[in-house]
Amino acid sequence: MTASITDVQHALGARLAALARIVELGTGRADQASLTESAQLLVRAGDRLRLSPDHTVVALAGGTGSGKSSLFNSVSGLELSPTGVRRPTTARTHACVWGLDGAGPLLDWLQIQWRHRFARASALDKGESPLHGLILLDLPDHDSIRALTDTEADRLIKVSDLVVWVLDPQKYADASVHRRYVTELAGHDAVTVFVLNQSDRLTPEEREICVADLRELLADEGVGGPRVVVTSALTGDGVDDLKAVLAESVAARRAAFQRLEADLDRLMVPLAKDVSDIPRVEPVVDDARRAGLIDALCDAVGVSALGEAMENVYGVRSVDWVGWPYGRWAARLRPDPLSSLRLGDVKEEIRSLVGSAVSAQPAEVDNAVQALADGLTPGMPEVWQAGVRDAARSRSAQLPATLSDELSQIAPPLDRVPGWWWLLKIWQYLLVVLFVAGVAWAGSILAYGVLDMGKAPAEILGDVGVLPWLALMMASVLGLGALSGMASRNFVVLGAANERDRLEKDMRRRVSTVAEEMVIAPVETELRRYNDYFGAVAAASRK
């Protein structure tokens, strides 16, 4: 079933939209010459589709002496394009229009000068009404001396909806036509017609030989099933056949779309090469690779070392709070093994440790980023692999410093004292007070009850019978203090491990945030660009 004009237009519009995506996404990845030509086609297609869809632009193209202008006059039925005898050449494009309504902007776009525009009024010429909507152009001779410096013929051949190549029996195999134009228009069979003109100079047998030779030549150049019309502008033979071909194209109103489709098909050949073998990739970095990158960056900045330092500092600081006071006081009589730690400035030491760890390991950071990119790009074309690597490294210069700044902001709050440290310290000093009170009570009993140094202020302060119980109480206080000190050390170890876990989790979260913003997000953008580009190539290639 033949598709309607609307369906054809919508299909072409979808392919052109895909081509626009190719131009947008392919910069720096696809062949620049193809992208430039694609952008030019988009501009040309936009202009042509915006202009009159009711007119079909047909260009008569040919070399000097092919009888092109005479054929133009024969088709139009008027002497519109000048012809010569001694050196017949066409200097400027002439246009004959069947139906002027709406043709003005299209002729302006074609840059046809006003004095070279002519009209056929279909209402006055009933015999040529099937050509209503035809804009017939007589192009300058492509091989004339003037054509060497004027590209008007080349320009109009590229933008015409249908190109009619007018060839003469002597030069139908002219390389200037075949190499320069016909080969380039291979695949444009639906919008290309070949006219073997001046057939009156040939016998019927010679005519058949020329047509067969021309068809074979065109087939060798990639023109499948070429439409060949034999004419004689001098005798009028075959002119009606040519008019019938033009009328068929005009009536179908599809030549403009077919020309753009043919241009698009030819353009997509290099862009779509081996697209079927190109693997699609997941546009999102999977959890395993994401975790691998974060682990590698954490190793690069020394998260474990920082956590261990935090755990050690936590334990050292706890000595002043939860250790048995008598043990601490006894330790002060010995040389202080902790003085080298400079605990009063330890927070700045850890900040310095964070910064130096990041700045000292740029190679590890780069290796982590490289490993992520390499794991995501197997099977991708080299230029796109390089694109993913470049995206991963796009902010690598700032990555170490950013990690340093982020982790420096979460240096552990070393001045924070857990609440249970306060309670335990109060309890331990209460035991110290009880022990001191017991010692004072025992001294009072010895002084007043044993040595009889005088009368005790209170009977109980000199009662010798209380002394054993008092000794038991003091021993219990010492034992309870020692036991609470040992138990607190276990809690300190557990608390230090928790603090280390908290710090490492916080640092890992910061590293994850930085990695997401500076590495993963650019990589995922490039992966989506890769998929979108090849999806657009497939869509633009689909008919």
Side-chain angles (χ1 to χ4, degrees):
M1 182 177 179
T2 304
S4 66
I5 292 293
T6 302
D7 292 339
V8 172
Q9 188 172 7
H10 286 169
L12 177 60
R15 294 183 67 195
L16 290 173
L19 183 64
R21 289 289 289 164
I22 291 173
V23 173
E24 176 186 356
L25 300 171
T27 302
R29 304 289 183 270
D31 177 62
Q32 188 57 46
S34 295
L35 294 180
T36 300
E37 191 174 355
S38 298
Q40 293 171 350
L41 175 59
L42 289 170
V43 173
R44 185 166 74 249
D47 290 342
R48 181 63 186 93
L49 295 176
R50 176 176 51 83
L51 297 169
S52 175
D54 297 325
H55 288 84
T56 301
V57 180
V58 177
L60 293 182
T64 303
S66 64
K68 172 172 53 63
S69 296
S70 297
L71 190 60
F72 175 82
N73 292 334
S74 295
V75 173
S76 64
L78 299 171
E79 292 293 327
L80 302 178
S81 190
T83 59
V85 176
R86 181 172 299 177
R87 187 173 181 81
T89 61
T90 301
R92 283 294 178 187
T93 301
H94 293 70
C96 184
V97 183
W98 281 259
L100 277 174
D101 290 343
L106 182 54
L107 290 168
D108 292 340
W109 178 66
L110 294 170
Q111 300 178 28
I112 307 299
Q113 297 178 2
W114 279 94
R115 65 178 179 273
H116 296 146
R117 301 179 186 182
F118 307 96
R120 286 302 305 262
S122 299
L124 301 178
D125 194 345
K126 302 294 185 182
E128 292 175 351
S129 59
L131 297 179
H132 184 79
L134 171 64
I135 297 179
L136 186 63
L137 305 180
D138 180 18
L139 303 187
D141 303 328
H142 68 80
D143 57 352
S144 66
I145 295 176
R146 179 178 171 278
L148 297 177
T149 57
D150 193 332
T151 60
E152 183 173 352
D154 290 347
R155 177 179 60 81
L156 290 172
I157 287 171
K158 290 180 180 179
V159 300
S160 295
D161 303 330
L162 180 70
V163 179
V164 177
W165 287 101
V166 182
L167 309 171
D168 67 84
Q170 287 76 33
K171 296 191 296 182
Y172 66 84
D174 185 5
S176 65
V177 174
H178 291 269
R179 293 179 184 174
R180 185 176 175 185
Y181 298 106
V182 177
T183 302
E184 288 295 319
L185 292 177
H188 290 61
D189 308 349
V191 289
T192 308
V193 177
F194 298 91
V195 173
L196 185 61
N197 196 25
Q198 300 178 359
S199 63
D200 55 284
R201 298 182 180 183
L202 302 174
T203 65
E205 293 77 10
E206 291 173 335
R207 186 181 307 171
E208 291 181 5
I209 293 173
C210 286
V211 170
D213 188 40
L214 176 59
R215 288 184 180 276
E216 182 178 356
L217 179 61
L218 293 173
D220 291 341
E221 293 171 341
V223 181
R227 291 185 291 177
V228 179
V229 181
V230 181
T231 64
S232 172
L234 181 63
T235 65
D237 290 342
V239 174
D240 288 339
D241 295 335
L242 177 58
K243 288 182 178 181
V245 172
L246 299 181
E248 179 184 356
S249 180
V250 169
R253 297 289 190 268
R254 295 190 179 188
F257 304 127
Q258 290 173 326
R259 174 59 192 268
L260 292 173
E261 285 180 337
D263 288 343
L264 183 53
D265 290 339
R266 181 184 63 81
L267 187 59
M268 290 309 301
V269 170
L271 290 174
K273 185 179 181 182
D274 300 327
V275 167
S276 59
D277 298 330
I278 300 298
R280 299 298 184 266
V281 298
E282 287 296 327
V284 178
V285 176
D286 59 90
D287 292 340
R289 289 192 175 90
R290 191 183 299 262
L293 173 66
I294 294 172
D295 288 342
L297 291 178
C298 286
D299 290 342
V301 300
V303 167
S304 295
L306 290 172
E308 184 177 358
M310 172 61 192
E311 187 174 17
N312 293 334
V313 168
Y314 188 96
V316 170
R317 290 191 66 251
S318 68
V319 172
D320 289 336
W321 290 85
V322 300
W324 182 228
Y326 292 116
R328 293 202 306 272
W329 295 336
R332 289 177 182 174
L333 300 177
R334 300 189 299 269
D336 185 3
L338 302 178
S339 59
S340 61
L341 293 179
R342 291 181 296 167
L343 296 181
D345 199 35
V346 72
K347 187 171 183 178
E348 293 304 320
E349 291 293 323
I350 290 182
R351 289 183 183 275
S352 176
L353 176 61
V354 174
S356 62
V358 174
S359 61
Q361 303 296 333
E364 291 189 23
V365 173
D366 188 68
N367 289 340
V369 172
Q370 179 69 37
L372 175 71
D374 290 344
L376 293 169
T377 57
M380 294 173 62
E382 177 57 35
V383 66
W384 287 95
Q385 290 186 24
V388 174
R389 290 193 293 268
D390 291 344
R393 292 197 184 106
S394 60
R395 301 180 66 183
S396 60
Q398 298 85 26
L399 185 55
T402 302
L403 288 171
S404 176
D405 292 341
E406 284 291 322
L407 298 187
S408 295
Q409 293 175 11
I410 58 170
L414 300 180
D415 54 349
R416 184 177 63 86
V417 177
W420 70 273
W421 285 14
W422 282 103
L423 294 176
L424 186 59
K425 190 169 188 176
I426 292 172
W427 164 251
Q428 289 175 334
Y429 275 98
L430 178 61
L431 294 177
V432 168
V433 170
L434 288 175
F435 182 78
V436 171
V439 170
W441 193 355
S444 176
I445 292 175
L446 289 174
Y448 295 112
V450 176
L451 300 178
D452 197 20
M453 296 177 64
K455 184 178 180 180
E459 183 178 353
I460 195 171
L461 294 178
D463 188 355
V464 177
V466 177
L467 193 59
W469 297 104
L470 184 59
L472 179 62
M473 181 199 73
M474 293 172 62
S476 299
V477 168
L478 289 175
L480 188 58
L483 287 174
S484 63
M486 288 187 290
S488 67
R489 296 307 303 162
N490 294 331
F491 285 112
V492 166
V493 172
L494 180 62
N498 290 336
E499 286 293 318
R500 176 177 181 173
D501 289 343
R502 181 200 63 77
L503 177 64
E504 290 185 359
K505 287 179 181 179
D506 200 5
M507 287 192 293
R508 184 179 178 86
R509 178 180 58 80
R510 294 291 186 108
V511 170
S512 176
T513 300
V514 173
E516 181 72 31
E517 177 184 351
M518 302 186 70
V519 180
I520 294 176
V523 166
E524 289 182 343
T525 298
E526 184 66 17
L527 294 177
R528 286 192 296 271
R529 177 183 178 184
Y530 169 85
N531 282 341
D532 291 348
Y533 174 81
F534 284 103
V537 169
S541 302
R542 189 180 304 120
K543 295 184 180 181

